[in-house]
Amino acid sequence: MSEKNRIVLAYSGGLDTSVAIPYLKERTGKDVVAVSLDVGQGGERLQTIKKRALACGAVESYIVDARDEFASEYCMPALKANAMYEGVYPLVSAISRPLITKHLVRAAHQFGADTIAHGCTGKGNDQVRFEVSIMSIDPTIKAISPIRDLGLMRDVEIAYAKEHDLPIEQTEKSPYSIDQNVWGRAIETGYLEDPWNGPTKDVYSYTDDPAFPPVEDEVTIDFEKGIPVRIDGKEVTPLQAIEEMNQRAGAQGIGRVDLIEDRLVGIKSRELYEAPGAVALITAHQELENCCLEREQHRIKRDIDKRWGELVYDAQWFSPAVRSLNAFIEETQEYVSGRIRMVMHGGRAVVTGRRSDTSLYDYRLATYESGDSFDQDASNGFIEIYGLPDRVAAARDVRFGRGVEVPDQTVE
Ligand code: ARG
């Protein structure tokens, strides 16, 4: 097609984006192409979603099973970076938006569209992630949100669905805004907007209640260059590794998070997450890094990991900054290979064993038994020189009456 006059819509199959199909057509005069991805969110089959897209008036429906791509190219980089925004949130939604955008842009090129539409509101991070990702891949494509830009509000939606007889009875409306994929699940809004309201039992679906766990589950995970390749000795793909750990860590209630989070747009928001597989895998990966990374490299990596998480949270997946951090992180994974043993029980994943041919742990240096190869005498000289600046500074403090106070006490 030579003339680009269509809109590509990120289509979930839910109420908002179903109504958006005829609504966008009516308000812009452009035909709508619906794009739907399987990123491991479960729920309806892609074929069912495709049928609904066409029934709602889409001229084309593009569906992709992107689960392996998501696991290998988005979740694995997050694992290598131990990515945890604000120390606890494993970037579930933040890493899916760049992947979805890649497919949206591909569909825009394939079906002759000049605009991409998404169902985000104007208050969240996801609108920024979609649109900054679009700009980074193809800066000629425009972005639009029917909810944010065309007044598609709840009451309008319902009236519109009735009037146009849209086949959306099956699309259940949850009391929460939920986004989920194989890396985890995010739950927000509604009753949870009062930060004092505790989560009700119905909000969780990837995890069981950690207060009533089954018997403990011991697992071994083998990593090669930062990637899980075997679980309990059985070979797994990245997707299988995440899925299996979601099952097993989920059964133990691992990976539940409840926090007030700082959004990119400046709002503080109440968020609940459950990411059992991600949290268990990151716990194991981090411990393997404790063995395999050199001390200074590791200290720098912890800073880099934190910045990576913030930048990816802040919609910078395709940015030069993240690309450069990726190069550093990738290099550090060269020796991150070996086996981690972990016990999962009652909400916690605790590493109990580690073994690696590329570890820097040296028994002969560490041991207090005989066979010690560490020269303890050398520590005298080390401390003498290492402590020299403190000794000189302390002498000056004493001269000026500012030394560390030691209470004068006579012992009877
Ligand atoms: N606050 C999280 C983030 O920015 C989760 C967003 C979830 N999105 C949603 N539409 N419920 O990554």
Side-chain angles (χ1 to χ4, degrees):
M1 178 164 313
S2 58
E3 205 184 328
K4 292 187 171 177
N5 58 1
R6 288 169 156 182
I7 292 184
V8 159
L9 169 68
Y11 181 63
S12 70
L15 175 66
D16 294 339
T17 51
S18 291
V19 176
I21 295 173
Y23 192 78
L24 276 167
K25 167 81 182 169
E26 183 180 295
R27 294 290 301 269
T28 66
K30 294 183 181 197
D31 285 337
V32 176
V33 175
V35 170
S36 311
L37 271 74
D38 185 352
V39 284
Q41 69 271 37
E44 294 185 307
R45 291 173 52 240
L46 283 176
Q47 286 300 336
T48 311
I49 293 174
K50 178 181 188 118
K51 260 198 218 135
R52 187 175 307 125
L54 297 172
C56 289
V59 290
E60 304 272 3
S61 159
Y62 166 112
I63 53 173
V64 203
D65 178 353
R67 287 174 301 165
D68 279 304
E69 182 183 7
F70 180 56
S72 300
E73 291 170 37
Y74 294 79
C75 302
M76 290 302 108
L79 175 61
K80 290 177 185 174
N82 303 309
M84 289 282 191
Y85 181 67
E86 292 180 355
V88 290
Y89 164 44
L91 299 183
V92 171
S93 305
I95 59 173
S96 78
R97 301 320 183 204
L99 165 70
I100 296 170
T101 305
K102 223 182 208 179
H103 286 276
L104 290 168
V105 172
R106 183 176 299 164
H109 293 162
Q110 186 176 329
F111 295 106
D114 63 355
T115 306
I116 288 175
H118 56 75
C120 301
T121 71
K123 296 179 78 167
N125 298 315
D126 288 330
Q127 51 168 347
V128 188
R129 295 174 185 146
F130 278 126
E131 296 186 24
V132 172
S133 295
I134 294 169
M135 287 170 200
S136 303
I137 304 171
D138 181 348
T140 67
I141 295 179
K142 295 188 286 286
I144 189 171
S145 160
I147 294 173
R148 183 193 61 194
D149 306 322
L150 303 175
L152 186 57
M153 296 304 163
R154 205 64 217 294
D155 46 333
V156 179
E157 275 179 12
I158 291 165
Y160 206 86
K162 267 216 190 97
E163 194 185 315
H164 291 75
D165 210 12
L166 298 179
I168 52 171
E169 319 75 57
Q170 322 87 303
T171 64
E172 230 180 281
K173 190 77 191 172
S174 152
Y176 308 108
S177 166
I178 292 175
D179 183 49
Q180 63 191 53
N181 59 53
V182 74
W183 201 235
R185 189 161 173 271
I187 309 117
E188 48 183 32
T189 73
Y191 167 82
L192 299 168
E193 281 172 359
D194 179 344
W196 188 248
N197 282 346
T200 48
K201 289 202 185 309
D202 63 314
V203 304
Y204 294 114
S205 90
Y206 284 17
T207 51
D208 293 327
D209 190 342
F212 304 99
V215 293
E216 64 176 34
D217 182 3
E218 189 181 84
V219 63
T220 66
I221 307 173
D222 293 350
F223 288 87
E224 271 169 28
K225 300 192 179 185
I227 301 283
V229 292
R230 273 179 298 278
I231 293 183
D232 290 335
K234 203 177 107 269
E235 265 182 46
V236 285
T237 63
L239 177 63
Q240 289 166 336
I242 302 166
E243 285 176 338
E244 177 163 351
M245 294 309 288
N246 273 341
Q247 286 300 324
R248 294 172 64 174
Q252 297 287 346
I254 290 165
R256 289 188 177 184
V257 180
D258 180 340
L259 86 156
I260 298 292
E261 167 182 304
D262 277 306
R263 284 189 187 165
L264 174 56
V265 295
I267 299 170
K268 281 192 188 290
S269 71
R270 164 67 169 307
E271 304 282 339
L272 294 184
Y273 300 106
E274 43 180 355
V279 167
L281 286 168
I282 290 173
T283 302
H285 177 259
Q286 259 171 338
E287 179 58 17
L288 190 58
E289 287 192 334
N290 287 344
C291 301
C292 301
L293 298 188
E294 184 276 327
R295 183 184 67 187
E296 294 308 316
Q297 178 193 36
H298 198 187
R299 287 177 174 171
I300 294 167
K301 184 170 185 290
R302 289 195 193 93
D303 292 342
I304 297 279
D305 286 352
K306 180 164 164 289
R307 292 295 292 130
W308 193 95
E310 288 165 350
L311 287 165
V312 168
Y313 182 89
D314 287 348
Q316 297 294 310
W317 179 273
F318 294 110
S319 69
V322 168
R323 208 186 304 150
S324 299
L325 297 191
N326 284 341
F328 176 88
I329 292 170
E330 197 54 43
E331 211 286 325
T332 62
Q333 300 302 290
E334 184 62 29
Y335 292 118
V336 182
S337 303
R339 172 169 293 188
I340 292 293
R341 188 181 61 231
M342 201 161 61
V343 170
M344 301 185 286
H345 193 235
R348 302 214 310 146
V350 179
V351 173
T352 59
R354 58 294 272 163
R355 172 181 279 170
S356 162
D357 291 340
T358 45
S359 171
L360 295 171
Y361 178 86
D362 184 334
Y363 174 83
R364 284 167 40 255
L365 289 176
T367 186
Y368 288 96
E369 312 288 322
S370 56
D372 178 5
S373 71
F374 185 81
D375 176 6
Q376 296 199 37
D377 283 345
S379 288
N380 290 321
F382 169 72
I383 296 166
E384 193 62 35
I385 293 175
Y386 178 75
L388 187 59
D390 303 274
R391 186 194 293 271
V392 174
R396 179 182 62 185
D397 281 337
V398 169
R399 253 191 296 134
F400 287 92
R402 297 180 67 246
V404 176
E405 261 182 65
V406 183
D408 228 0
Q409 238 178 36
T410 31
V411 186
E412 313 267 307

